Amino acid sequence: MCGRLQNQTAIVTGSSTGIGRAIAHRFAAEGADVVTNSRSEERANETAAEIEATGGNAVGVAADVTDYDAVRSLVEATVDSFGGVDIMVNNAGVTTVKPTEELTAEDWRRVIDVDLTGVFFGAQAAGEYMIEAETGGAILNISSIMGELGLHKRAPYCSAKGGVNNLTRTLAVEWAKHDIYVNALAPGFIKTEITDQTQEAADYTDEDIQKRTPLGEFGTLEEMAECALFLVSRNNYVTGEVLHADGGWSAYGWGYGDR
């Protein structure tokens, strides 16, 4: 690795599994000090220990991203541990799979609270620090192709991710004067727990996904980490962008059939 994030500190929420974990590992391999996060202290520490075992530098901090004060404490703990915050990745997310007419208020609020409000809390807390410290920085919000597309039985998730996309654009415009880059990564079908739930909701088999994707395969966690690295680099004139890393899924007008 070439150390593209040397001397930088990154927070990655929801980094005990999936895309968040892959991003945390990649950033550490690129030289960043990384704060890993989960609601569970044990799970946050597990990812940090993995990074340390491979020669990286990381600490785990437990925080519920739906808790305003806890998110601020997460940022404060990062500053205490590493002296600052250069990169904030708002990755923590959940979903629910249920027909819209059967959704309860609790179903709706749980997804919106984690997937949209949690992203706002993380971006705001990190942005406030970067503005006050006059350091600039990068904020990356993990969205989904479902922020632009509809999928049955996923009304809260699609709504939350659509909100994340426009929140990203708004913050990019507002904070550009502070040299804060704000972008979103919108993965397509990557093998994660949430993708498994999406396939269940839509009754898609792996073969269905592969046929529907122009590149003909699922994306990988490593590819998402590579996209994340590009979006936080701050050397590419890119801010306010929602990058669809979906193998061509959202560009495919025909929709189904053989490639």
Side-chain angles (χ1 to χ4, degrees), residues 22 28 68 86 95-96 100 121 132 148 195 197 205:
Y68 180 89
D86 302 288
T95 192
T96 190
T100 299
F121 286 168
E132 291 174 7
E148 301 288 344
T195 299
Q197 291 171 313
T205 65

Side-chain angles (χ1 to χ4, degrees), residues 29-84:
E30 293 287 349
D33 298 323
V34 178
V35 172
T36 58
N37 161 261
S38 171
R39 286 178 297 176
S40 160
E41 183 175 0
E42 179 181 1
R43 295 180 71 186
N45 287 336
E46 284 176 359
T47 304
E50 292 170 358
I51 290 171
E52 293 270 327
T54 59
N57 198 18
V59 296
V61 178
D64 182 342
V65 299
T66 69
D67 184 328
Y68 180 89
D69 293 329
V71 175
R72 273 160 171 67
S73 294
L74 171 61
V75 171
E76 290 169 3
T78 302
V79 175
D80 290 343
S81 295
F82 295 121

